[in-house]
Amino acid sequence: MNKTWFITGTSAGLGRLLTERLLARGDRVAATVRRLEALDDLVDTYGDRLWVARLDVTDAAAVRSVVDRAFAELGRIDVVVSNAGYGVLGAAEEASDEQVRHVIDTNLVGSISLIRAAIPRLREQGGGRVLQISSEGGQIAYPGFSLYHASKWGIEGFVESMAKELAPFGIALTLVEPGPTATNFVSGVVRPPTMAVYDATPADDVRRGIDSGAFPVTGDAGKVVDRMIEMIDEGTTPLRLTLGASAFDGVHAALQQRIEALEAQKAIAYSVELDK
């Protein structure tokens, strides 16, 4: 059965590819972009199966308006995909206050606004799915990406809590966590001016690794999108969908390290209980 999807950030990357794959198989897509002309070719090909609206997810009022309009004009929306976002590469100290606020407003607050706007509509129609595009960077951290990680770790906590809140209403949420994937993500990364004090430090090592190509990007964007679509078609509802060998191995190692560190502190943790 064909489905209707609402997807943010569809001008490029995973959002664009997901939109193309869904339209090609006969689904309907409500796609949001900051520049309407970015989807002109798809509008010409697919006509009224592609509903397009301009949206900057940092504008909470606009998010509510566009979501309400999409549900009103399209009726039932089966899957909401919160995809809009970008990265900031540089030591936290290097970023300006404006850069800090914008990446948090986009990746975290914008995603929260979208999900909050969709909840009443999904509840009214008796359920639905929400896919939040996160990253392996929602569970592990690289030096030089602290602001990006702040946004992704934040949205992971929000979605995990929301999944419990919304389960009684038939609304399931999934965090999609790709590893480094061959998209245009790196070209869209914001780079604050560098500070000499960070030369030859871990943050600089990551920056130079990305620029030189030494930082491996092994994920296939088409396969990432296919696994997302298959998950929806199969009706499975994992809280997290980790995609990519490096993502799986990195997250697995990080979780093991955290468990080991936690267990080492068990006696200290128990020592602060009230005396009985």
Side-chain angles (χ1 to χ4, degrees):
M1 180 182 297
N2 292 337
K3 296 179 174 63
T4 300
W5 302 60
F6 183 103
I7 309 171
T8 62
T10 59
S11 62
L14 294 179
R16 167 77 185 212
L17 189 54
L18 178 60
T19 299
E20 292 174 348
R21 296 278 171 96
L22 294 170
L23 291 169
R25 76 177 200 157
D27 286 6
R28 290 192 306 173
V29 177
T32 75
V33 287
R34 286 182 295 175
R35 296 179 299 102
L36 293 178
E37 63 272 19
L39 297 181
D40 281 351
D41 59 325
L42 297 183
V43 172
D44 290 342
T45 301
Y46 295 105
D48 61 7
R49 283 202 291 111
L50 177 60
W51 183 97
V52 181
R54 180 183 287 110
L55 180 62
D56 179 345
V57 297
T58 65
D59 184 339
V63 170
R64 289 191 294 271
S65 176
V66 169
V67 169
D68 287 348
R69 186 156 56 89
F71 274 89
E73 296 180 14
L74 298 176
R76 181 180 180 87
I77 292 178
D78 303 287
V79 187
V80 174
V81 184
S82 176
N83 170 70
Y86 69 97
V88 176
L89 174 58
E93 185 182 2
E94 294 173 331
S96 68
D97 292 343
E98 291 74 17
Q99 288 169 331
V100 172
R101 284 193 295 269
H102 194 266
V103 72
I104 297 300
D105 283 347
T106 301
N107 294 5
L108 177 56
V109 180
S111 295
I112 291 171
S113 296
L114 176 66
I115 294 172
R116 278 168 38 85
I119 288 168
R121 304 300 182 183
L122 295 173
R123 192 175 62 245
E124 289 165 5
Q125 70 183 19
R129 296 293 305 277
V130 176
L131 305 186
Q132 172 63 54
I133 306 302
S134 181
S135 162
E136 65 170 11
Q139 296 210 58
I140 63 178
Y142 295 102
F145 276 104
S146 55
L147 300 176
Y148 178 74
H149 290 306
S151 69
K152 292 303 182 181
W153 283 60
I155 199 60
E156 292 245 347
F158 175 80
V159 169
E160 184 162 341
S161 177
M162 288 297 297
K164 297 173 182 178
E165 294 178 11
L166 299 178
F169 306 108
I171 302 170
L173 291 84
T174 296
L175 290 151
V176 180
E177 300 174 333
T181 302
T183 66
N184 63 336
F185 176 81
V186 171
S187 65
V189 165
V190 170
R191 296 181 176 227
T194 60
M195 297 172 60
V197 70
Y198 284 102
D199 290 349
T201 67
D204 189 48
D205 291 343
V206 170
R207 183 161 42 210
R208 287 185 290 104
I210 290 174
D211 290 341
S212 69
F215 193 88
V217 177
T218 60
D220 184 312
K223 292 178 181 178
V224 167
V225 166
D226 287 343
R227 299 297 90 79
M228 293 166 59
I229 296 172
E230 290 165 4
M231 177 184 64
I232 295 299
D233 288 347
E234 293 165 1
T236 55
T237 58
L239 176 61
R240 289 178 172 86
L241 180 67
T242 305
L243 297 171
S246 68
F248 182 89
D249 293 344
V251 171
H252 191 275
L255 292 176
Q256 283 188 318
Q257 291 168 5
R258 288 204 286 274
I259 287 293
E260 291 169 3
L262 179 64
E263 289 177 342
Q265 297 176 3
K266 182 176 180 179
I268 297 173
Y270 275 60
S271 72
V272 302
E273 293 295 292
L274 290 169
D275 293 332
K276 296 180 179 179

